[in-house]
Amino acid sequence: MDLTEFIKHFAEQFDDEPLTNFAPETRFRNIEEWDSLHAMMIMAMVNEKYKVKITPEELKNSQTVAEVFEVVKYKV
């Protein structure tokens, strides 16, 4: 699994945020566009692209894109 690729897939879930606004340390809940729909979109993207499921609780406990990546990486 590649962090750069994961960030790209993560960023694709947002319509109004350019990829350049995403980095490992990005606190995704601080993105103005973030809402519960985006949480579901992130979980669906992880399931589709990486063939693993992350729970709402695991996403809730993650603060940064890198933390979500680590959860996914552990499950892959």
Side-chain angles (χ1 to χ4, degrees):
M1 257 185 78
D2 178 57
L3 179 57
T4 303
E5 180 182 312
F6 183 82
I7 292 170
K8 179 179 165 268
H9 293 308
F10 197 100
E12 288 172 350
Q13 307 311 305
F14 294 84
D15 293 329
D16 298 332
E17 292 293 324
L19 177 60
T20 55
N21 286 0
F22 290 86
E25 65 276 1
T26 299
R27 294 184 167 273
F28 55 89
R29 283 190 191 76
N30 293 344
I31 297 170
E32 187 174 328
E33 199 177 340
W34 177 259
D35 58 17
S36 60
L37 178 59
H38 283 92
M40 291 188 296
M41 290 168 61
I42 297 296
M43 290 186 292
M45 176 274 295
V46 166
N47 189 14
E48 179 183 322
K49 301 280 185 191
Y50 300 99
K51 308 299 185 220
V52 296
K53 292 185 179 182
I54 59 172
T55 66
E57 190 68 26
E58 289 169 322
L59 188 58
K60 181 180 176 185
N61 290 336
S62 300
Q63 299 298 313
T64 66
V65 175
E67 289 176 5
V68 178
F69 173 79
E70 289 301 323
V71 170
V72 174
K73 183 178 167 186
Y74 176 77
K75 292 184 170 206
V76 171

